[in-house]
Every structure is written in structure tokens, then in C-alpha cells.
């Protein structure tokens, strides 16, 4: 991604219209007229953009005016960063992590305001009363536009770009509202942002609220065609939406702790890593005390979280009980299994993934832990094509493999391990420092025990 | 230690010039501005006599104090408070009595002040903040001795008792009060469900409440700077004033739950459109920028509300059965029977900056005058 800054402009505009007959031929025209009114509102001189956590106010439609003298239309947009007060987000460790990598582009949040004290006209107030029966429709439109740019782009270009984006979004919203309207039932059009491969790039799609992804297959097929996206994996499900770096995850789980690690220093080795986003599940979370028996369950939860966040399933990550119940349902376990503290292995993980998520998995077997060093090519291929986290069980332990560093020439290999035996809190520093997520060498495995690996396969769907 | 009221000399003149029939009482309003430290009274207005069409009302009780028409006094207070510009409000009441009634005067004043405050704030769309002063002043004047007794009551607390207060006359209290003015375009579309006038009122109120929320929360820029903090407003330096509102009042939490439009079947709708001109004055005793912003925001809300109230009253009076027609009403109101037909402009405060028009009225003339002054 070549951009340094993402400008994100949000604001809620109220859509309102009066329909005499919602099923009549004229209603479409009335609706379109209301949208046109909103478009002229955002193109008017009274629109003001405010930069959150800063005193900056910009009037974009008056040939660029701002209340900060040194910020002019020719200023590079990177200059705006100096006016923003970074608030303390309250993370526990304020010191820089030694492995801190650039966490991506900076997000500048802006809000849409309207200057009410510059009236266009001067008519005295009047009241017009219409006494015919009408359907009065009111709906908030949650505008959310993004523009990704480099820091040297001028403020003028940024502002013009944002206003254009607002207009385009209103037009897209109108289309969605009309397409999914049934009589006087209107669905709120909601914007979702996606980081797509070129040529599409950073794109915003409008989906109707309340219509699940499963019913939007046709719309996605159209978009996959339009954006030249592969037709065998999801890119445009709601779960695939871009996660803005400054937004916290509401559920509290850590995402992708492995990105904060330095890769191992092996000559000639390439990295083959999990693709996309997963959550770190481990002992003691969700107020379940599974210390000593739940490691495979937690690894399975991590895998389920991957399928949810890549948009393959909409179901939540299963609990221990739900996992056990699934095994009873497929006949693999007796009913008394539910509520017990019995361990499970790769075969059970494969069965649950199939039962609850409809996901198939390949099983890989090694008769001795020392053999795992010979599986470099297979694991590398897995991460390249499927890119899903791998559950490995053997001896008395279960772990999750998130990737390998492997040299085709020398055969040297390291394993990126996510350890479900961690019992502490969601503290990234501890987890990376103490190796609960870390690169391990071949000696990590019990050289004599046999191991089974569960390699989940991506379903071919969008 | 009680409150201190700094009172303009013009008020002193007015009060000393009041006439009353022997043995009778005179009531009236005191208007001005309160600040946490002190209060300023710049205006006094006598309650007009109500001449009913029939015979004069028979005396109700034992004393002329019982004859005070509380409803009339409070209605007058409401009408006057509608006309005051931003920053000014009714601070209290005065009561002139003959000496023999002086000892009962306090009770009468207490009844009146609570009734008045209750009536004035009905239908108000903005909330009082913690800094707003809720003490109201009662001034008793003995007709014969001209002795003044000044006390305050906290109208927030129905059980509050009278507290002593200072009443000091000064010249030119309001002569250097900075004035903020702005024009606000209003365009409200309000659906009306049901057909009775009560319904109309309620729908209007709900619609106005929604409209007022972003105004109250708006960013206020004075001379291009945000008026957020306790920085002082420099008198005479206010060049520009603007309000920037979030474009809609929908809360984020409400938005998260809403997946479809709100559709109501209405018997009609009302649209209020036009430009209102608002102004507010702020005292010059170290005023803070955000108080100035608050005063004018409240004036915007009050102005639009009272315009709409008058439109609705007008509609009620002129209600025909014109179903299906678009009825266009412009600003003109008749409130027959509410006000004395004999117009007297009792006081025209001509100090340079404070509003020059406070008057006892026949509403027609009143609104016409304000109308023409604004447009």
C-alpha cells in the first residue's frame, strides 16, 4: 500500500421524503429528488469539515478556507498531523516495543458539519401546512468516506476528493435504497470499506442493513467481476471490511500478535505465513478455566475465528460446550462428553470444523516429532495456497502453527507457534516477549512422540 | 451572603413613576441578566390592566392582594419573555402596595414568583445548565414610604425560603454590553399524525426538539475562534459569529440499532422555512465566551419556538375546513382578549446597546414592529 494517510470523513445526513403513494410510479422520482437535495447540500458553501481532536476547521466549497492560517490549499496534507492531539489510548505499556514495525497508514478522522449561520436567503419565516395523507419517511444516512493519499498531496486535492466522495456515496446510497425498497419499507444503506488488490485498491461498497451476506451473493458476483477479483475466495463480505488501525476490537481479543515479531535469521529462508486475520484464543479466557485440558479447544477457536474474520462463516467462535456438543451430534462422542474436561485431538478438530463451519481439513501424520523438520515443503505450500492456521496435537500438548520459515536449499526450518497454554491477560508485550507467540526451532517438538496436524481448507466461495 | 442586584437608573425612574389607585396593588416584571456573581436589572414593566368586556370583576377576597390575577401576571411574563433578546430574561417581579398590605406582600410575591417561573419555562426546549442561576428576585415597594424590600427565592426548590438580597442603583448598566447577532436559516419538515390541534402541537414540539439538539451542541465560532472555554469575550470586538452544527441529531447508538427507515402515515405535514435573526447581549463584568455562545444559541431556539407557537395559535384561530389544500401562513398573530387593546409603550430603554423595544402590547403591533426591525 503506497499511501501514508487515510482521511476518513463521517457524518449523518437525514434522508426525508413524503410519499403520497409508496407503491405508485411517482415515488421513485420523489426519492431521487430528496437525494439530489442532499447532494446539493454537501456541495454547498455551508459545509464544514472538522478534523477530530484538533482545532482545524475547513470550508472545502469556498475555494478552501480554514481557520488555521498556516493551513492553506497548497499545504501538503501531512501538515495537518501536527494539529492533531494524540490522546493516550490507555494501552498498558507506553514504551516502544523493540520489534515495533510500522503499523500502517495514519488515519485522520474528520466530521461533517453544517454552518447554519450563513443563510442563503432572507425570507421571513413561514409555515406551510399540507393536509393530505402521506407516508413520511425518515432515515439516517451514515456517511463514511475515505481517501487514501501520500503525505505530499495538497490539502486542496484532499478536500475536493472528499467532497466528490460524499457525492458519489450519496449516489451509491440512492441506488441501494431504490434497489432494496419494497413499498414504504426502506433499508438503511451502510458503507463498508475494503482494501482490494489492484486495480481496485481502497474501495467503498454500500450494503443494505439487515440483509445477511448469504443473500447478497449476486451483488458480490457483480462486484467481483467489476473489480477483477478472483472468484474463489471472499473479498467483499462484511467481515472482510478494512479494519482501521485506530479502531479497537470490541471483543477484546488480540488480533495477529505475530506481526509484532522479528522473523528468525536463517540464511536463504523464505517466510510462509497465515493470511488474513485471526484472534488469539488461550487458557482461562471467557471465564472458562480450562487450564490443563483445553489447549486443543483453544487452537480450534483460533481457527474458527480465522474463518469468521475472512468472511466464510457468520457464526460466532464456538464455546467448549458447543464444540463438545458438535462431537456428540456427529456420533463421535457419547452425550456425557458434554461438560467433561476430556482432551480432543486433530481428528476431533477436523470433525468440528466440518460440523459447525462446513470446512474440510487435511490430516498430516508424523510418527516422530523429529520428522517435522522434513515437512517444510508441505507446510510452505499449505500457507501459500490455503493460508489457514494449523492445529498440531501430539504428546500431551496441542499448539497452533501460524507459519514456517523454510529454506528450500538447506532444509532449515523454524515454526511460528501460537501457544494456547498461556493463562494471562491480553497483554501483547508479555505474549511476544515470553514467546507465547514466537518462532521455535525443531527442538520445540517432543522428538519421540507422534503428531497429527489438522490443515483446514478454504471453501471455494465468495 | 445574598445576591446583589445592580439596577439601571432608568428602572428607578420607572418604578418611582408608577401610579396606583388608592388601596390597590401594582405588579410588574423585572428583566435583565444573571451571572454567577451578580445580577443586572435593566428593565421594569408593569402588568397591564385587563379590561374584560363585561363588568369589572367582583373582588374575590378580603384584600386587594387576593385580587391579583396570577394567570394574567404569568401570561404577561411569558409574552414579554418571548420578546426579550438573547441573554435577557425575566429575573423577577415587583409589587407595589399601600402600607397596610406590606406585611402580606411577601406571601403574595412568593406565590407569584413560583407560578411565573413555572409558566415561563413550559415548553422550553433547552435545559438549564449547572451554572444557570435559579434565584429570582422579588421587590416589594411601599407606595407611601417608597421603602424597598428585596428578597430572592430559588425557584428550583419549592420549599425555599426568602433570602435577603441587595438592590443597588447605578447609571448606564447596559451601555457597554457587547451584542452578538446572527441569522439562521431554518427548514424543518414535520410530519403530523392525527388531526386534533393537540396532535399538531405535540408533533411540532417533537420536531422542534429534534431540531434544537444540534443547535445546542453546535460549535460556536466568535471571530473565527471556537468559544469553548473560559476565555473572556472582549467587549466591542465581536466581528463575526457562526454556528457549525452536526448535520443531524441522530446519536451513534441510535444509528447502530437502526436498519430501516422510520415511516409514519401522516394526516399531513408542516414545513417551517425562513431566516430568523437573533441577537444576544452579554453583561460586561468579565463575560466568558462560552456564556455568550450559550446565550445566543438559546435565543435561536427561543425565537424559532415562539414563532412556531404563534403560527400554531394563528392556525387554531383561523382554522377552516380546507382539507387537501396547502395553507400558507405568514407571520401575523392575533391574540384577542389576551391583552389590553390600549397600547402603551411604557418604557423605551434607549441606552445604546440594550434592546430598545420592550413594551406592553397589543400583539399585532408588537410583532409588526419586531418584524420590521428584523427584516
Amino acid at each position: 500500500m503506497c499511501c501514508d494517510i487515510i482521511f476518513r470523513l463521517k457524518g449523518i445526513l437525514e434522508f426525508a421524503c413524503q410519499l403520497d403513494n409508496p407503491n405508485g410510479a411517482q415515488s421513485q422520482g420523489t426519492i431521487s429528488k430528496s437525494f439530489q437535495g442532499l447532494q446539493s447540500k454537501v456541495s454547498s458553501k455551508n459545509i464544514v469539515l472538522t478534523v477530530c481532536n484538533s482545532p482545524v476547521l475547513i470550508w472545502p466549497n469556498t475555494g478552501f478556507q480554514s481557520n488555521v492560517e498556516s493551513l492553506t490549499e497548497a499545504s501538503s496534507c501531512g501538515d495537518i498531523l501536527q494539529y492533531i492531539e494524540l490522546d493516550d489510548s490507555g494501552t498498558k505499556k507506553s514504551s516502544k516495543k523493540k520489534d515495533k514495525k510500522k503499523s500502517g497508514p495514519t488515519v485522520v478522522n474528520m466530521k461533517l458539519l453544517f454552518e447554519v449561520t450563513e443563510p442563503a436567503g432572507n425570507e421571513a419565516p413561514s409555515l406551510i401546512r399540507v393536509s393530505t395523507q402521506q407516508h413520511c419517511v425518515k432515515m439516517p444516512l451514515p456517511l463514511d468516506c475515505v481517501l487514501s493519499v501520500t503525505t505530499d498531496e495538497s490539502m486542496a486535492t484532499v478536500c475536493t476528493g472528499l467532497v466528490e466522495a460524499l457525492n458519489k456515496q450519496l449516489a451509491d446510497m440512492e441506488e441501494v435504497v431504490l434497489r432494496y425498497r419494497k413499498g414504504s419499507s426502506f433499508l438503511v444503506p451502510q458503507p463498508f470499506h475494503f482494501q482490494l488488490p489492484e486495480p481496485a485498491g481502497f474501495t467503498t461498497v454500500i450494503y443494505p442493513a439487515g440483509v445477511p451476506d448469504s443473500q447478497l451473493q449476486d451483488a458480490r458476483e457483480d462486484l467481483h467481476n467489476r473489480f477483477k477479483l478472483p472468484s474463489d475466495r471472499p473479498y467483499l463480505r462484511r467481515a472482510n471490511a478494512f479494519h482501521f488501525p485506530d479502531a479497537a476490537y470490541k471483543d477484546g481479543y488480540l488480533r495477529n500478535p505475530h506481526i509484532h515479531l522479528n522473523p528468525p535469521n536463517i540464511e536463504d529462508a523464505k517466510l510462509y505465513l497465515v493470511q488474513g486475520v485471526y484472534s488469539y484464543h488461550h487458557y482461562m479466557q471467557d471465564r472458562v478455566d480450562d487450564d490443563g485440558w483445553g489447549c486443543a479447544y483453544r487452537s480450534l477457536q483460533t481457527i474458527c475465528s480465522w474463518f469468521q474474520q475472512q468472511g466464510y462463516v457468520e457464526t460466532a467462535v464456538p464455546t467448549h460446550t458447543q464444540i463438545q456438543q458438535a462431537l456428540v451430534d456427529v456420533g463421535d462422542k457419547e452425550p456425557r462428553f458434554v461438560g467433561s474436561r476430556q482432551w480432543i485431538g486433530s481428528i476431533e478438530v477436523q470433525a468440528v470444523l466440518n460440523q459447525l463451519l462446513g470446512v474440510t481439513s487435511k490430516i498430516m501424520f508424523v510418527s516422530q516429532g523429529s520428522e517435522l523438520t522434513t515437512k517444510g515443503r508441505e507446510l510452505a505450500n499449505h500457507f501459500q495456497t490455503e493460508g489457514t492456521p494449523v492445529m498440531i496435537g501430539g504428546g500431551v500438548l496441542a499448539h497452533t502453527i501460524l507459519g514456517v520459515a523454510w529454506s528450500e536449499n538447506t532444509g532449515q526450518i523454524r515454526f511460528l507457534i501460537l501457544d494456547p497454554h498461556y493463562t494471562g491477560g491480553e497483554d501483547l508485550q508479555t505474549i511476544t516477549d515470553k514467546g507465547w507467540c514466537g518462532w521455535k526451532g525443531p527442538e520445540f517438538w517432543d522428538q519421540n512422540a507422534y503428531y497429527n496436524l489438522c490443515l483446514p481448507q478454504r471453501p471455494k466461495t465468495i | 451572603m445574598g445576591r446583589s442586584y445592580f439596577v439601571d437608573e432608568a428602572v428607578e425612574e420607572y418604578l418611582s413613576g408608577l401610579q396606583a389607585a388608592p388601596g390597590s396593588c401594582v405588579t410588574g416584571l423585572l428583566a435583565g441578566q444573571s451571572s454567577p456573581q451578580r445580577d443586572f436589572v435593566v428593565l421594569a414593566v408593569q402588568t397591564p390592566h385587563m379590561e374584560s368586556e363585561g363588568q369589572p370583576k367582583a373582588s374575590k377576597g378580603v384584600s386587594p392582594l387576593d385580587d391579583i390575577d396570577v394567570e394574567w401576571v404569568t401570561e404577561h411574563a411569558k409574552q414579554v419573555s418571548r420578546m426579550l433578546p438573547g441573554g435577557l430574561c425575566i429575573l423577577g417581579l415587583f409589587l407595589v402596595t399601600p402600607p397596610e398590605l406590606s406585611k402580606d406582600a411577601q406571601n403574595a410575591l412568593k406565590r407569584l414568583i413560583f407560578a411565573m417561573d413555572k409558566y415561563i419555562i413550559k415548553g422550553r426546549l433547552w435545559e438549564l445548565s449547572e451554572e444557570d442561576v435559579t434565584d429570582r428576585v422579588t421587590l416589594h415597594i411601599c407606595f407611601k414610604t417608597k421603602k424597598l424590600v428585596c428578597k430572592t427565592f430559588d425557584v428550583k426548590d419549592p420549599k425555599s425560603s426568602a433570602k435577603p438580597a441587595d438592590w443597588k442603583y447605578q447609571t448606564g448598566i447596559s451601555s457597554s454590553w457587547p451584542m452578538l447577532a446572527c441569522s439562521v436559516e431554518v427548514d424543518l419538515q414535520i410530519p403530523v399524525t392525527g388531526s386534533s390541534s393537540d396532535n399538531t402541537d405535540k408533533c411540532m414540539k417533537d420536531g422542534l426538539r429534534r431540531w434544537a439538539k444540534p443547535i445546542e451542541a453546535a460549535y460556536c465560532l466568535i471571530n473565527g475562534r471556537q468559544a469553548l472555554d473560559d476565555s473572556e469575550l472582549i467587549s466591542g470586538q465581536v466581528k463575526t459569529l457562526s454556528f457549525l452544527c452536526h448535520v443531524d441529531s441522530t446519536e451513534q447508538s441510535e444509528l447502530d440499532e437502526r436498519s430501516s427507515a422510520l415511516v409514519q402515515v401522516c394526516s399531513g405535514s408542516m414545513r417551517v422555512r425562513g431566516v430568523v435573526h437573533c441577537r444576544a447581549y452579554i453583561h460586561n463584568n468579565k463575560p466568558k465566551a462560552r456564556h455568550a455562545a450559550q446565550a445566543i444559541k438559546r435565543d435561536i431556539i427561543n425565537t424559532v419556538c415562539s414563532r412556531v407557537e404563534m403560527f400554531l395559535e394563528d392556525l387554531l384561530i383561523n382554522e377552516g375546513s380546507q382539507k387537501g389544500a396547502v395553507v400558507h401562513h405568514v407571520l401575523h398573530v392575533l391574540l384577542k382578549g389576551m391583552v389590553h387593546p390600549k397600547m402603551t409603550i411604557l418604557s423605551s430603554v434607549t441606552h445604546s446597546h440594550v434592546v430598545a423595544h420592550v413594551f406592553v402590547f397589543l400583539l399585532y403591533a408588537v410583532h409588526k414592529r419586531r418584524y420590521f426591525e428584523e427584516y
Side-chain angles (χ1 to χ4, degrees):
Chain A
M1 199 155 57
C2 68
C3 79
D4 313 304
I5 304 189
I6 297 177
F7 284 91
R8 187 178 189 189
L9 175 59
K10 290 168 83 164
I12 304 175
L13 270 184
E14 185 178 73
F15 165 82
C17 72
Q18 280 73 39
L19 297 176
D20 293 330
N21 175 10
N23 294 310
Q26 290 173 334
S27 44
Q28 180 157 327
T30 311
I31 295 166
S32 293
K33 198 150 161 252
S34 286
F35 271 100
Q36 275 159 33
L38 293 175
Q39 282 181 306
S40 50
K41 193 167 179 174
V42 304
S43 306
S44 78
K45 290 190 171 358
N46 291 353
I47 282 292
V48 183
L49 307 179
T50 175
V51 177
C52 298
N53 298 324
S54 88
V56 178
L57 296 166
I58 300 174
W59 283 252
N61 293 330
T62 58
F64 193 95
Q65 274 180 48
S66 131
N67 66 334
V68 174
E69 265 187 52
S70 42
L71 200 68
T72 66
E73 56 190 353
S75 310
S76 38
C77 62
D79 287 353
I80 222 170
L81 297 174
Q82 61 185 284
Y83 300 104
I84 302 179
E85 277 169 36
L86 295 162
D87 56 6
D88 194 344
S89 52
T91 48
K92 287 181 200 156
K93 299 279 165 72
S94 55
S95 58
K96 284 193 170 25
K97 299 184 266 291
K98 56 183 190 288
D99 307 311
K100 189 170 165 63
K101 291 156 77 167
K102 182 164 153 48
S103 52
T106 315
V107 179
V108 174
N109 288 301
M110 301 175 79
K111 282 215 188 67
L112 190 62
L113 298 177
F114 197 71
E115 185 167 0
V116 294
T117 37
E118 286 295 311
N122 198 20
E123 330 81 67
S126 63
L127 183 138
I128 301 176
R129 182 169 70 167
V130 174
S131 296
T132 48
Q133 192 176 63
Q134 298 176 312
H135 289 75
C136 288
V137 182
K138 277 201 214 286
M139 180 165 66
L141 300 177
L143 295 175
D144 185 351
C145 296
V146 289
L147 199 69
S148 66
V149 290
T150 52
T151 44
D152 54 1
E153 198 68 78
S154 73
M155 281 308 305
T157 312
V158 168
C159 288
T160 319
L162 286 171
V163 173
E164 267 171 24
L166 282 174
N167 270 295
K168 177 171 190 301
Q169 188 158 104
L170 283 168
D172 290 342
M173 284 183 165
E174 179 185 340
E175 203 190 304
V176 168
V177 165
L178 288 173
R179 196 186 323 164
Y180 291 91
R181 173 179 81 102
K182 290 191 176 63
S184 61
S185 160
F186 289 68
L187 296 176
V188 174
Q190 293 174 330
F192 291 85
H193 308 293
F194 299 95
Q195 183 68 39
L196 300 175
E198 297 299 321
F202 210 4
T203 308
T204 306
V205 176
I206 311 288
Y207 284 131
V211 178
D213 282 334
S214 48
Q215 286 174 30
L216 292 169
Q217 183 85 11
D218 289 341
R220 284 199 301 281
E221 273 172 21
D222 273 344
L223 291 169
H224 271 245
N225 279 334
R226 205 189 328 155
F227 297 138
K228 315 255 187 293
L229 298 171
S231 50
D232 64 347
R233 54 176 58 182
Y235 282 90
L236 295 170
R237 295 201 172 222
R238 289 181 174 98
N240 299 121
F242 180 73
H243 176 78
F244 287 85
D246 58 345
Y249 287 100
K250 289 188 205 136
D251 55 22
Y253 299 114
L254 289 179
R255 300 308 198 268
N256 291 18
H258 71 274
I259 60 172
H260 301 279
L261 300 174
N262 276 333
N265 203 353
I266 306 183
E267 203 181 304
D268 205 29
K270 285 213 199 79
L271 291 184
Y272 304 87
L273 300 179
V274 65
Q275 298 170 27
V277 181
Y278 62 87
S279 312
Y280 180 20
H281 290 267
H282 57 79
Y283 277 173
M284 309 302 281
Q285 277 178 344
D286 320 313
R287 287 183 230 150
V288 173
D289 182 350
D290 57 336
D291 191 350
W293 60 272
C295 46
Y297 293 80
R298 297 295 184 181
S299 177
L300 174 51
Q301 285 179 334
T302 297
I303 294 172
C304 291
S305 79
W306 187 94
F307 280 95
Q308 182 202 39
Q309 289 175 90
Q310 263 50 248
Y312 287 99
V313 297
E314 283 171 10
T315 47
V317 170
T319 60
H320 290 61
T321 311
Q322 288 168 331
I323 291 169
Q324 290 173 335
Q325 186 61 49
L327 287 167
V328 170
D329 290 345
V330 298
D332 187 73
K333 299 279 185 245
E334 295 288 312
R336 59 189 155 81
F337 178 64
V338 180
S340 72
R341 295 172 167 199
Q342 283 190 43
W343 295 347
I344 56 176
S346 326
I347 306 300
E348 286 85 358
V349 169
Q350 178 190 42
V352 174
L353 285 174
N354 187 42
Q355 173 70 359
L356 292 183
L357 272 57
V359 166
T360 54
S361 318
K362 289 195 180 142
I363 298 288
M364 187 199 286
F365 170 76
V366 292
S367 50
Q368 287 173 276
S370 49
E371 251 179 71
L372 278 165
T373 52
T374 66
K375 299 295 182 184
R377 185 178 303 279
E378 273 186 75
L379 287 170
N381 277 343
H382 169 81
F383 286 110
Q384 265 190 323
T385 47
E386 305 302 327
T388 57
V390 171
M391 177 265 175
I392 177 169
V396 290
L397 301 174
H399 290 93
T400 310
I401 303 180
L402 296 175
V404 289
W406 177 63
S407 161
E408 205 170 337
N409 297 332
T410 66
Q412 286 222 51
I413 188 168
R414 297 285 181 276
F415 303 88
L416 179 56
I417 301 296
L418 188 67
D419 196 336
H421 301 90
Y422 172 62
T423 53
E426 311 317 314
D427 181 349
L428 183 61
Q429 191 76 32
T430 305
I431 288 163
T432 49
D433 283 351
K434 302 278 195 259
W436 294 102
C437 177
W439 288 97
K440 313 290 178 190
E443 68 285 355
F444 180 72
W445 311 109
D446 182 338
Q447 303 296 297
N448 299 315
Y450 68 83
Y451 284 91
N452 270 324
L453 293 80
C454 174
L455 287 72
Q457 307 294 297
R458 286 182 185 250
K460 301 265 179 292
T461 175
I462 63 170
Chain B
M1 204 189 100
R3 299 200 69 82
S4 301
Y5 287 84
F6 290 81
V7 187
D8 198 282
E9 269 183 357
V11 172
E12 182 179 21
E13 245 178 75
Y14 178 81
L15 291 174
S16 51
L18 287 174
Q19 308 281 339
S24 74
C25 311
V26 178
T27 55
L29 307 170
L30 298 164
Q33 185 170 103
S34 279
S35 74
Q37 284 76 38
R38 53 179 73 171
D39 307 273
F40 303 95
V41 178
V42 296
L43 212 65
V45 177
Q46 177 184 4
T47 310
H49 294 299
M50 170 153 74
E51 264 179 29
S52 39
E53 262 134 36
Q55 323 100 316
K57 267 210 304 240
S59 221
K60 263 194 303 201
V62 180
S63 118
L65 283 175
D66 296 328
D67 284 344
I68 295 177
D69 188 340
V70 178
E71 260 183 47
W72 182 235
V73 171
T74 56
E75 182 61 41
H76 177 235
K78 181 158 191 167
Q79 297 300 331
V80 171
S81 75
R82 264 181 180 175
M83 282 180 284
L84 292 173
L88 298 189
C89 61
I90 307 287
L91 290 183
L93 295 166
F94 66 80
L95 175 63
V96 185
T97 68
E100 60 271 20
L101 296 174
S102 291
K103 63 176 171 38
D104 295 323
Q106 285 307 318
N107 278 336
L109 278 168
K110 182 172 181 179
R111 264 188 301 133
L112 281 173
I113 200 97
F114 277 92
M116 180 195 81
D117 187 73
K118 189 162 163 209
Y119 190 61
I120 287 185
I121 65 176
K122 238 176 26 175
R124 189 166 64 193
L125 287 184
W126 41 267
E127 298 296 325
L128 284 181
S129 71
E130 279 191 7
E131 295 177 308
D132 282 304
V133 173
T134 50
D135 292 285
R136 297 287 175 265
V137 66
T138 58
L139 187 72
H140 172 248
I141 307 170
C142 172
F143 193 63
K144 188 152 166 216
T145 65
K146 306 293 177 200
K147 175 162 171 253
L148 298 175
V149 176
C150 175
K151 292 200 196 286
T152 58
F153 291 90
D154 183 354
V155 285
K156 224 176 43 222
D157 175 12
K159 299 202 197 70
S160 73
S161 50
K163 289 197 272 289
D166 285 334
W167 187 262
K168 302 185 210 187
Y169 288 115
Q170 274 188 3
T171 38
I173 295 250
S174 57
S175 52
S176 56
W177 285 15
M179 180 189 86
L180 301 170
C182 66
S183 309
V184 176
E185 177 149 29
V186 178
D187 189 356
L188 287 180
Q189 187 96 31
I190 297 173
V192 176
T193 50
S195 49
S196 72
S197 64
D198 279 346
N199 268 326
T200 309
D201 266 355
K202 180 174 185 312
C203 291
M204 212 51 173
K205 273 260 143 38
D206 287 342
L208 284 172
R209 205 169 281 128
R210 278 194 59 127
W211 166 81
K213 265 171 46 186
I215 302 273
E216 244 193 307
Y219 295 76
C220 173
L221 299 178
I222 297 180
N223 292 344
R225 276 191 60 213
Q226 286 197 45
L228 282 176
D229 49 15
D230 287 349
S231 64
E232 271 184 43
L233 191 69
I234 302 163
S235 164
Q237 291 292 327
V238 178
K239 297 219 173 51
T240 58
L241 176 73
S242 10
F243 283 105
L244 311 176
C245 295
H246 284 98
V247 288
D248 185 34
S249 60
T250 312
E251 303 275 345
Q252 186 61 43
S253 55
E254 199 188 314
L255 188 65
D256 287 338
E257 288 165 21
R258 187 84 85 78
S259 63
S260 60
L262 185 66
V263 182
Q264 291 171 292
V265 178
C266 313
S267 54
S269 65
M270 290 201 280
R271 191 170 182 190
V272 180
R273 267 183 77 173
V275 176
V276 289
H277 301 282
C278 307
R279 90 192 86 175
Y281 294 90
I282 202 94
H283 64 87
N284 58 354
N285 176 248
K286 299 198 187 47
K288 301 216 172 65
R290 60 191 170 82
H291 290 136
Q294 184 182 67
I296 194 145
K297 278 183 196 177
R298 288 174 175 177
D299 191 56
I300 295 172
I301 298 174
N302 287 341
T303 306
V304 172
C305 276
S306 58
R307 287 286 188 280
V308 168
E309 266 176 33
M310 292 190 275
F311 285 139
L312 291 180
E313 284 158 1
D314 185 30
L315 274 181
L316 210 56
I317 291 167
N318 290 330
E319 199 79 286
S321 45
Q322 298 165 346
K323 290 263 183 264
V326 173
V327 183
H328 192 121
H329 293 265
V330 204
L331 174 62
H332 71 275
V333 182
L334 284 173
L335 280 179
K336 281 195 214 149
M338 290 301 284
V339 187
H340 195 279
K342 275 208 194 125
M343 277 300 294
T344 332
I345 297 180
L346 283 191
S347 165
S348 173
V349 180
T350 50
H351 286 288
S352 37
H353 294 280
V354 180
V355 63
H357 38 279
V358 180
F359 26 90
V360 177
F361 40 75
L362 173 65
L363 243 31
Y364 220 155
V366 156
H367 293 298
K368 240 192 192 155
R369 179 167 164 167
R370 187 158 187 196
Y371 187 113
F372 287 125
E373 276 188 61
E374 289 176 13
Y375 301 110

